[in-house]
Amino acid sequence: MGIIVAGLVTPADAQEKKPALNHMALSVYNLQKSTVFYRDVLQLDTVPEPFHDGKHTWLKIGPGSYMHLIEGAPEIREHDMATHTCFSVPSVTDFIARLDQFGVPYSNWQGEKQQVTIRVDGIKQIYLQDPDGYWIEINDDY
């Protein structure tokens, strides 16, 4: 354990603190389209971003954690479902109703369209893709 002397933190003390997620960034092809998806479909709140260059949208994804959408991807690419971001919601059923409202397709882990996976621990989950093809898991492990 580190020693605190006159308000100073020793390196040993600082090492006891674990890293915390600050942000993740996604390179997107069309910033406006991606912003609408994450803000309106997923209902993530936007937060002020410092660049004011029209190429960034910052979204709050958790306490002290953010997602940065950065326009500049040269094309929309195919992504593997195993590489995904997961958001938990109180009700997967209610979230599916929202997806249906926006015409956003989803599937279960096996890729069966409009189906829900129920994990061995009872957690419901679905998978969908954002406008750039990035995979998103939605589950009810809220």
Side-chain angles (χ1 to χ4, degrees):
M1 175 158 238
I3 300 170
I4 300 177
V5 179
L8 299 176
V9 179
T10 65
D13 188 50
Q15 289 177 354
E16 289 180 14
K17 294 188 178 189
K18 303 291 184 196
L21 178 65
N22 178 272
H23 74 272
M24 56 183 288
L26 296 178
S27 178
V28 299
Y29 184 73
N30 181 315
L31 182 63
Q32 182 178 357
K33 193 173 185 178
S34 293
T35 297
V36 166
F37 177 84
Y38 282 96
R39 183 192 65 213
D40 298 351
V41 177
L42 294 188
Q43 298 183 296
L44 298 178
D45 293 328
T46 58
V47 297
E49 57 89 9
F51 303 115
H52 307 290
D53 60 5
K55 295 183 179 184
H56 296 81
T57 297
W58 286 15
L59 303 148
K60 186 167 182 65
I61 58 173
S65 297
Y66 304 90
M67 175 183 285
H68 301 172
L69 303 177
I70 305 170
E71 188 167 72
E75 63 186 2
I76 296 173
R77 296 182 176 172
E78 187 173 326
H79 301 277
D80 189 287
M81 186 190 294
T83 302
H84 61 268
T85 301
C86 180
F87 296 100
S88 294
V89 297
S91 168
V92 168
T93 302
D94 291 347
F95 191 83
I96 287 171
R98 181 166 195 76
L99 293 178
D100 291 343
Q101 250 185 328
F102 283 91
V104 176
Y106 64 92
S107 67
N108 61 14
W109 177 250
Q110 291 76 25
E112 299 166 325
K113 295 179 187 305
Q114 311 309 101
Q115 297 296 314
V116 176
T117 298
I118 301 178
R119 297 186 334 203
V120 295
D121 58 1
I123 299 296
K124 293 178 184 175
Q125 60 189 172
I126 58 172
Y127 293 84
L128 56 130
Q129 290 180 284
D130 77 358
D132 284 84
Y134 292 110
W135 283 97
I136 300 166
E137 174 187 339
I138 302 293
N139 69 34
D140 62 1
D141 190 15
Y142 196 74

